[in-house]
Amino acid sequence: MYASHFTLPGSSSNQWMLPKEWKAMGGELCDKCSTCIASEFALVAADPDNADKKFAGHWATWFTKDDVNTLKAAGINTVRVPLGYWIVEALVNRATEHYPRGGMKFLAEGLMWLRDAGIQVILDHHALPGVQTAGQMFTGNCTDDVQFYTVYNYGRALTWTAVMTALSHLHPNFKSVFSIQAANEPIMNASKTPGYGEFQKSFVAVVRATELLLGIEVSGIPALQYDSPSTAVGLGGLLADACNGDNSGLFKTGSAVVKAVTEAIAILVDMELEFGSLDFGACKGRAPLTTNHMDILWQYNNPANPADAAIGPQSYDHHLYYSFGGVADDNPDAYLRDLCNRQIIQNDIALRNTPVWVGEWALSTQFNATDDFLRKWADAQKLVYSQDAGWLFWNFKLEQTNPLVRQWSYLEGLRLGYLTQDPSQYHDRKVCDPYRSVSSATNNPTSSKRANLPTPNSLRRASLRHTRAKQHLSY
């Protein structure tokens, strides 16, 4: 059980979280993010000669060892690190794609601090090759030209997965990484995400194939009958042997899994030359990573069930913000009545999406919230979201001069008393009691029949994502 999580950003400045710094870096502020310099892609395209230096300056100052000490003192035990695919620089087509370089060393440094503090880490593939959702800064390129759902970009995402899986086991700074997320917030309409269910299965297969090559045992999969390699170069020979004598079903010659692992090995060889030897001896006794997916309730129109992709330990992620509309009427009573009767966790469990954490939420509202309401709002969300694996708050901090800091910054919420100093505690554990209703349309915690769960339209309203663009920073 993960008692309390929150989300750790790490890549670019952006116009809604860090508007002052974003403008200082050469970014712009606008209502429609595709029309100005409001993303990594746009900033690098506008100033390619200086962008890497600008981003390095941001990365070096936004998340520091002092922040880790503050988080540890606040009782935080887990962070979710949102990453763009471009952190694996070999995957970027520099002729057409514009993203900052040099992020991996900053990621490794931040993970070292978290490791030393005993804080667990989820690596979240937050911005995927080709862009997974239209019109969102968090994808790294605010565009309506969504190209992730193609064989080519699924393939690049799988190669990214193999590289990050290997680093999670081989790089000493990554020791506290316990989970990798396949894809943050795909398009909610499943009819517009062709092949996504197969991608989920391939994602898990890539993680497990990489682990088998490293000599990591995964329950239910036959181990490879070969000695584990001692260098990244040796992985190539072991992969060839595995393809010739595969008894796991993961190493089918010509498959997307083998292609991704093959490409990842070449990248790891270059990384080993750049960053020094990876510790292959550290793999012995390592537990397999927990694969993580957005839950089935995130999509509608007959989505694939990510539970069908599971091989070994797996978890699920649900996001819910009330402040972007479509969830409840914009007043305090409506918010609390809707939330306190919402059966997010129970509905996921009924569909085999467990353990599940609510990986993004905030204190944001569509109305001017009083301090008293925000204390209740914090308690109620923590109560509802902590019924399985726990929760992660978005975000740990914003620019202090940002008018949104009061409701979007975990540390500011602590300072103002909305959130408790011990994240497992509450101001009022009975905050939901006056609002619960046995007749609520969302109150059906036990049925495993799809027909008895909330309808697709109500699910979409429950999860309605950002009608106003909200970028997540990533290393």
Side-chain angles (χ1 to χ4, degrees):
M1 176 69 70
Y2 309 107
S4 57
H5 302 172
F6 80 110
T7 307
L8 164 70
S11 180
S12 76
S13 300
N14 60 84
Q15 65 164 312
W16 83 269
M17 285 177 59
L18 304 164
K20 184 177 179 180
E21 182 174 354
W22 184 246
K23 289 182 71 175
M25 290 174 67
E28 297 174 336
L29 311 182
C30 56
D31 291 333
K32 187 175 181 181
C33 59
S34 62
T35 63
C36 73
I37 302 174
S39 66
E40 287 93 340
F41 189 104
L43 196 150
V44 176
D47 190 9
D49 294 334
N50 299 300
D52 290 349
K53 183 177 180 180
K54 291 178 178 179
F55 279 97
H58 164 67
W59 294 327
T61 56
W62 169 249
F63 180 66
T64 68
K65 191 174 182 179
D66 286 343
D67 287 319
V68 173
N69 293 335
T70 299
L71 297 172
K72 183 177 181 180
I76 294 300
N77 62 20
T78 305
V79 302
R80 174 174 175 259
V81 182
L83 299 170
Y85 81 94
W86 56 89
I87 197 167
V88 180
E89 294 175 14
L91 296 176
V92 178
N93 181 348
R94 295 290 168 190
T96 58
E97 296 174 330
H98 311 287
Y99 294 104
R101 293 168 292 194
M104 186 65 77
K105 69 177 182 180
F106 290 97
L107 172 63
E109 184 177 44
L111 292 179
M112 177 183 67
W113 297 330
L114 293 166
R115 177 203 66 192
D116 293 346
I119 296 175
Q120 298 184 108
V121 174
I122 302 161
L123 297 182
D124 155 39
H125 203 173
H126 207 78
L128 289 110
V131 177
Q132 76 271 28
T133 305
Q136 293 291 348
M137 289 180 288
F138 72 76
T139 64
N141 181 14
C142 187
T143 177
D144 292 332
D145 185 19
V146 175
Q147 294 294 325
F148 171 59
Y149 308 97
T150 63
V151 172
Y152 171 62
N153 284 317
Y154 281 144
R156 287 201 289 173
L158 294 175
T159 301
W160 183 96
T161 299
V163 170
M164 300 310 292
T165 298
L167 290 176
S168 296
H169 290 297
L170 296 172
H171 197 301
N173 291 13
F174 285 63
K175 189 175 181 180
S176 62
V177 173
F178 76 97
S179 180
I180 295 184
Q181 185 167 16
N184 175 71
E185 296 188 356
I187 294 172
M188 298 180 79
N189 184 346
S191 69
K192 296 183 178 180
T193 60
Y196 183 61
E198 286 304 309
F199 166 74
Q200 291 175 320
K201 292 179 179 178
S202 294
F203 164 81
V204 175
V206 164
V207 172
R208 301 308 175 213
T210 304
E211 290 178 329
L212 288 181
L213 290 175
L214 296 175
I216 296 167
E217 295 184 6
V218 182
S219 178
I221 308 177
L224 297 180
Q225 301 304 308
Y226 311 104
D227 292 334
S228 299
S230 58
T231 65
V233 172
L235 281 173
L238 184 54
L239 177 60
D241 290 339
C243 290
N244 290 328
D246 177 26
N247 61 353
S248 69
L250 297 177
F251 297 96
K252 296 178 181 177
T253 301
S255 69
V257 172
V258 169
K259 184 175 184 293
V261 175
T262 301
E263 292 174 353
I265 289 172
I267 293 170
L268 289 166
V269 169
D270 289 341
M271 283 187 169
E272 194 167 29
L273 292 173
E274 180 179 357
F275 295 112
S277 296
L278 300 172
D279 187 2
F280 282 78
C283 293
K284 294 180 180 179
R286 284 274 293 180
L289 296 173
T290 296
T291 52
N292 180 253
H293 303 273
M294 294 298 298
D295 63 346
I296 188 173
L297 301 184
W298 180 256
Q299 290 191 302
Y300 62 97
N301 276 346
N302 196 30
N305 191 338
D308 295 335
I311 305 171
Q314 182 158 286
S315 59
Y316 306 86
D317 182 11
H318 186 84
H319 300 172
L320 181 56
Y321 296 99
Y322 279 66
S323 54
F324 297 102
V327 183
D329 291 341
D330 55 349
N331 66 77
D333 280 350
Y335 270 40
L336 287 168
R337 192 167 303 282
D338 182 272
L339 176 69
C340 291
N341 289 288
R342 191 165 291 284
Q343 301 292 307
I344 299 166
I345 306 301
Q346 293 84 348
N347 291 340
D348 264 335
I349 291 172
L351 292 167
R352 298 180 290 122
N353 282 208
T354 183
V356 57
W357 54 65
V358 176
E360 291 189 25
W361 62 281
L363 300 181
S364 53
T365 60
Q366 290 182 290
F367 51 86
N368 293 325
T370 65
D371 291 343
D372 180 62
F373 174 75
L374 291 181
R375 281 190 291 272
K376 292 180 180 179
W377 192 222
D379 276 353
Q381 290 190 87
K382 287 165 59 179
L383 279 165
V384 172
Y385 303 157
S386 63
Q387 296 177 70
D388 197 359
W391 48 260
L392 299 105
F393 189 93
W394 188 278
N395 197 290
F396 85 108
K397 70 177 181 180
L398 273 67
E399 271 181 349
Q400 199 59 36
T401 57
N402 190 328
L404 302 176
V405 68
R406 174 173 174 257
Q407 292 175 268
W408 285 92
S409 165
Y410 189 88
L411 296 179
E412 185 68 3
L414 282 179
R415 189 185 73 81
L416 294 172
Y418 308 146
L419 295 153
T420 55
Q421 289 298 317
D422 180 344
S424 68
Q425 298 302 307
Y426 303 87
H427 298 293
D428 179 10
R429 285 183 176 272
K430 297 182 178 181
V431 64
C432 275
D433 287 1
Y435 299 96
R436 288 200 174 108
S437 169
V438 295
S439 62
S440 170
T442 60
N443 189 9
N444 192 357
T446 59
S447 175
S448 61
K449 295 181 179 179
R450 185 71 174 176
N452 289 333
L453 295 172
T455 63
N457 285 337
S458 67
L459 289 175
R460 185 166 186 260
R461 288 196 300 273
S463 303
L464 192 63
R465 182 53 173 168
H466 322 298
T467 55
R468 175 167 61 88
K470 180 175 92 69
Q471 170 164 349
H472 298 182
L473 299 179
S474 31
Y475 270 102

